[in-house]
Amino acid sequence: MAKAVGATHTVVSSEDVVQDVKKVTGGDGTTISLDCVGRLSVIEQALAGTARTGALVLIGAAPPTDVLQLPASAFMMSGKRILGCSEGDSTPSTV
């Protein structure tokens, strides 16, 4: 389905996703990664597959009890960003 709507590459989630993403991107990782699932293991893989100075956008709703743990220094030095997106970050009354 992804390719049908314009994706240039796809990876199989049952395989080593981070390795596959890095292979497709020449070892860099993605500029923007999207988590649409809200599952910690997927979020961790998406972050690992995101390039230095790239962004991970969290769209999927993780359970309120889930806690994402990051190595603070390594994360800061990478320049990566994590952004939350709730309901498309739109205000229907102003759209």
Side-chain angles (χ1 to χ4, degrees), residues 2-66:
K3 285 194 174 188
V5 294
T8 56
H9 297 82
T10 59
V11 295
V12 178
S13 63
S14 62
E15 297 173 7
D16 188 338
V17 174
V18 176
Q19 179 181 336
D20 289 348
V21 166
K22 297 233 174 175
K23 185 186 303 181
V24 168
T25 60
D28 296 331
T30 61
T31 303
I32 299 173
S33 298
L34 304 174
D35 163 55
C36 300
V37 179
R39 189 171 183 168
L40 278 180
S41 61
V42 174
I43 294 168
E44 290 165 350
Q45 288 178 335
L47 186 59
T50 301
R52 291 181 58 81
T53 72
L56 167 59
V57 182
L58 303 178
I59 298 169
T65 55
D66 281 2

